[in-house]
Amino acid sequence: MSQLPKNKVDKYYSQNLLRAYALCLTWSPMEAMISASIDITNKHYYQVFPILFSIASITVISDWILSYFKYKNVPITIENKSEISIKKVSKKIIEMVFILIIFIICVSFLQNVLNKGFLFSFVLVIIPISIICAIAVWLIAARGCSLSAPSLKGA
């Protein structure tokens, strides 16, 4: 990227950041518009998720194809090349998906039990789930595993 003009590099980075942010906003249950839409339609997230994820997938594939044609003549050399452990990245993605599934199940269950909206159930579930996840990360880190968590040795 160092061989390209600064304005091109800045545009490339900003497009990538905005693309990733917009992709998450498309299907994330934590997005206010998604929560409001679920409440307005009186549906459950698991009913809406396949449609949202399909839209996000089509958008990503279209963007990859357009980016291929847009940047195929731009030579990019990788600076500071370092090995990325696919195994570690895959493990983190699986952990994130697992926590998200647990979260959606808890929110949907509470939505059914209380007969309230998705956003109300979301607000009730987010803090306990966050605390449980933080405790789990702390306990795993205390056993010496490779998860990154704050050290409590000074406390």
Side-chain angles (χ1 to χ4, degrees), residues 29-68:
M30 292 156 201
E31 165 57 30
M33 292 301 292
I34 300 297
S35 299
S37 299
I38 291 170
D39 282 344
I40 290 169
T41 59
N42 288 325
K43 298 291 181 185
H44 294 280
Y45 181 74
Y46 59 83
Q47 294 171 313
V48 178
F49 176 75
I51 297 166
L52 297 174
F53 195 74
S54 297
I55 292 169
S57 299
I58 291 168
T59 304
V60 166
I61 292 168
S62 301
D63 188 57
W64 281 345
I65 292 169
L66 291 173
S67 294
Y68 171 77

Side-chain angles (χ1 to χ4, degrees), residues 64-154:
W64 281 345
I65 292 169
L66 291 173
S67 294
Y68 171 77
F69 290 113
K70 184 175 182 180
Y71 295 109
K72 75 177 178 180
N73 295 329
V74 177
I76 297 178
T77 56
I78 300 174
E79 301 164 4
N80 301 330
K81 185 179 179 182
S82 62
E83 291 295 319
I84 297 173
S85 171
I86 299 298
K87 186 177 179 182
K88 286 182 181 180
V89 172
S90 299
K91 183 181 175 191
K92 293 292 183 184
I93 291 171
I94 290 169
E95 289 173 0
M96 181 192 68
V97 169
F98 178 73
I99 291 170
L100 186 61
I101 289 170
I102 296 285
F103 178 75
I104 296 301
I105 289 170
C106 291
V107 170
S108 295
F109 176 75
L110 199 62
Q111 186 179 1
N112 283 334
V113 169
L114 298 178
N115 201 21
K116 295 286 183 182
F118 182 83
L119 188 58
F120 182 79
S121 302
F122 175 91
V123 170
L124 291 180
V125 170
I126 189 76
I127 292 176
I129 291 285
S130 298
I131 291 170
I132 290 169
C133 287
I135 291 170
V137 167
W138 178 73
L139 288 174
I140 291 170
R143 293 184 183 193
C145 292
S146 63
L147 287 176
S148 59
S151 175
L152 299 177
K153 291 180 182 176

